[in-house]
Amino acid sequence: MSQTHTRPMPTIRVIKLSKSYRVGRQAVPAVRGVTLDVPDGKIVTLLGPSGCGKSTTLRCIAGLERPDDGEIFFDQRPLFSRARGIAVPPEQRNVGMVFQSYAIWPHLTVFQNVAYPLQVRRLPPRQIAERVREVLALVGLLGLEDRPGPYLSGGQQQRVVLARALVYRPDVLLLDEPLSNLDAKVREQVREELRSLQRRLGITTLYVTHDQLEALGLSDVVAVMQAGGIVEMGSPQELYARPAHPFTASFLGEISFISGTAASADGDMVEVLTSCGLLHSLRSERALAGKPVVAGVRPEHVRLSRDRPRDQTNVLEGTVVSSLFEGTRVKCRVAVGEVTLLAYGDELFTLNERLYVSIEPKHLMLLPHLAG
Ligand SMILES: Nc1ncnc2c1ncn2[C@@H]1O[C@H](COP(=O)(O)OP(=O)(O)O)[C@@H](O)[C@H]1O
Ligand SMILES: [Mg+2]
């Protein structure tokens, strides 16, 4: 028997969740009014810098922290509601959770580690053996049942922890920076395995990370968090290419900003008056005429050339500040007036070389200017 699609997975629904911690006599807000859905079978990621409230949100859903306000549902089932005085204890939520600082029990074997949650639930030994084999097969650890914890690699230990979280067939999976203990290469491999496992199981998953590559690579939907609130949500592609907020734009990858004012719309284009001159972006509902904006461009969309490009709309002149060979690309910084633009290309330039910079209008994002 396989775990795959044996039953419908619930939607996680979080409504106006708030939580402060008491520190001495002060209440320090950690989560401020978070509203979020994880649709049935999908993986949603909370992405944000350290301290923005990701773990607190997750722990409230698991029932390990008591929220100050708001509601939490798995499908129609309320797990927490301040208004209705509901707070279901964690052991009745049937949640699989992997913590940031996960650990396997070093004195136990792989089998014993994974079997533990089933022993706590007093399943018969035959059924335990069956379920453990099944879940070890899922995470690719079959054959290592008798191996003691300390004789496993970091990636294998991580898979034991994941197997332990899955073995009792939780309704939802909550993962808090589960890859942060792994070194870069293993992290990438386990990330791909995790993604494929989540898809195969179709288990509703809320994933927490501060790593934008992890969020982009794993998620159906990314929710960007800052200072206890969700800034914006969307598919990885949407958020990367068309963020609504400068914070999202810069948190999801390298970007250069040029501030300016959105002027009139001319046909399909919006004119933006900047310190680098007049630039053009595609007409966008966000670019309100007369409003201060920031124009943003990703380094892979900044083209550099020694000759003036023809038939290009946004052509600027700049001076090379740095040009660095990085193997798969050359990373270049070019000063254009008071602004420095980052460009990825395949050509090395010399310091102080004068060259042309061009940006296609479709790659020039317009975002509201942040006050302050
Ligand atoms: N047990 C706690 N007691 C007091 N403050 C806490 C506690 N846990 C977290 N915080 C504070 O709450 C805020 C959010 O923390 P956390 O949810 O852990 O953020 P993240 O997981 O995004 O790094 C931070 O300011 C953190 O210092
Ligand atoms: Mg955390």
Side-chain angles (χ1 to χ4, degrees):
M1 201 213 70
S2 126
Q3 276 196 324
T4 315
H5 301 300
T6 46
R7 66 213 150 103
M9 293 290 174
T11 296
I12 303 173
R13 172 155 289 179
V14 175
I15 303 167
K16 293 187 179 158
L17 186 76
S18 292
K19 167 76 186 169
S20 298
Y21 291 104
R22 292 236 144 255
V23 180
R25 304 184 65 186
Q26 282 198 315
V28 179
V31 176
R32 313 169 189 236
V34 162
T35 293
L36 156 98
D37 269 2
V38 186
D40 161 22
K42 300 290 187 198
I43 178 164
V44 173
T45 296
L46 296 177
L47 172 69
S50 174
C52 73
K54 306 179 297 292
S55 295
T56 303
T57 304
L58 210 70
R59 292 172 59 83
C60 285
I61 296 171
L64 302 172
E65 300 286 353
R66 196 188 173 91
D68 301 329
D69 208 352
E71 292 183 298
I72 300 168
F73 293 88
F74 288 177
D75 278 341
Q76 308 300 320
R77 182 184 173 214
L79 299 180
F80 178 82
S81 167
R82 155 116 185 235
R84 290 197 269 163
I86 296 168
V88 174
E91 64 276 10
Q92 289 171 26
R93 296 189 181 197
N94 201 26
V95 161
M97 185 151 178
V98 175
F99 295 97
Q100 198 161 355
S101 50
Y102 66 78
I104 59 167
W105 293 300
H107 56 289
L108 301 181
T109 64
V110 167
F111 181 91
Q112 290 164 335
N113 263 281
V114 178
Y116 182 77
L118 300 182
Q119 284 159 352
V120 171
R121 285 168 174 76
R122 301 191 183 288
L123 263 67
R126 266 195 48 198
Q127 203 178 349
I128 292 179
E130 207 173 279
R131 288 241 194 140
V132 171
R133 274 187 66 82
E134 184 184 303
V135 80
L136 287 179
L138 267 178
V139 300
L141 286 179
L142 220 48
L144 296 182
E145 287 89 338
D146 299 326
R147 178 97 42 113
Y151 295 94
L152 297 168
S153 71
Q156 287 169 332
Q157 293 190 22
Q158 204 283 342
R159 283 185 257 165
V160 171
V161 173
L162 193 61
R164 201 169 60 191
L166 286 169
V167 74
Y168 52 89
R169 300 181 182 168
D171 291 327
V172 306
L173 194 55
L174 305 176
L175 304 172
D176 192 349
E177 314 234 9
L179 309 183
S180 57
N181 287 2
L182 303 173
D183 54 44
K185 246 207 169 112
V186 181
R187 196 185 313 152
E188 204 173 311
Q189 185 196 337
V190 180
R191 187 206 306 161
E192 284 169 25
E193 287 171 9
L194 193 61
R195 181 190 156 101
S196 110
L197 180 64
Q198 190 277 335
R199 297 279 196 279
R200 262 184 294 145
L201 289 176
I203 186 165
T204 306
T205 302
L206 186 59
Y207 189 94
V208 158
T209 183
H210 66 274
D211 179 325
Q212 81 278 7
L213 285 181
E214 238 169 79
L216 292 173
L218 271 172
S219 321
D220 293 304
V221 171
V222 178
V224 179
M225 279 190 84
Q226 184 188 27
I230 291 179
V231 177
E232 91 182 275
M233 297 179 67
S235 74
Q237 296 88 335
E238 268 166 23
L239 285 189
Y240 186 82
R242 296 185 51 83
H245 295 272
F247 179 79
T248 309
S250 50
F251 203 79
L252 282 188
E254 295 278 10
I255 190 162
S256 307
F257 288 125
I258 310 167
S259 39
T261 306
S264 61
D266 173 20
D268 289 338
M269 299 284 190
V270 175
E271 292 186 340
V272 193
L273 210 55
T274 75
S275 60
C276 300
L278 191 66
L279 296 178
H280 291 81
S281 177
L282 291 189
R283 177 195 276 279
S284 140
E285 66 279 16
R286 297 192 195 106
L288 298 166
K291 289 275 167 67
V293 293
V294 283
V297 60
R298 301 260 179 226
E300 62 270 29
H301 296 138
V302 176
R303 298 260 166 276
L304 304 178
S305 56
R306 292 196 171 95
D307 301 321
R308 177 177 274 281
R310 311 182 62 164
D311 305 327
Q312 277 282 0
T313 309
N314 297 321
V315 179
L316 307 167
E317 288 180 53
T319 310
V320 176
V321 176
S322 68
S323 188
L324 196 68
F325 177 64
E326 292 190 335
T328 55
R329 67 186 182 201
V330 173
K331 181 174 177 177
C332 217
R333 289 187 198 277
V334 181
V336 179
E338 291 160 10
V339 179
T340 302
L341 300 178
L342 178 65
Y344 295 155
D346 47 23
E347 200 173 350
L348 262 173
F349 295 99
T350 5
L351 204 61
N352 295 324
E353 194 173 346
R354 300 280 301 164
L355 36 73
Y356 294 95
V357 179
S358 56
I359 303 161
E360 280 186 58
K362 70 173 178 191
H363 289 136
L364 194 71
M365 312 171 188
L366 293 188
L367 302 154
H369 199 286
L370 283 185

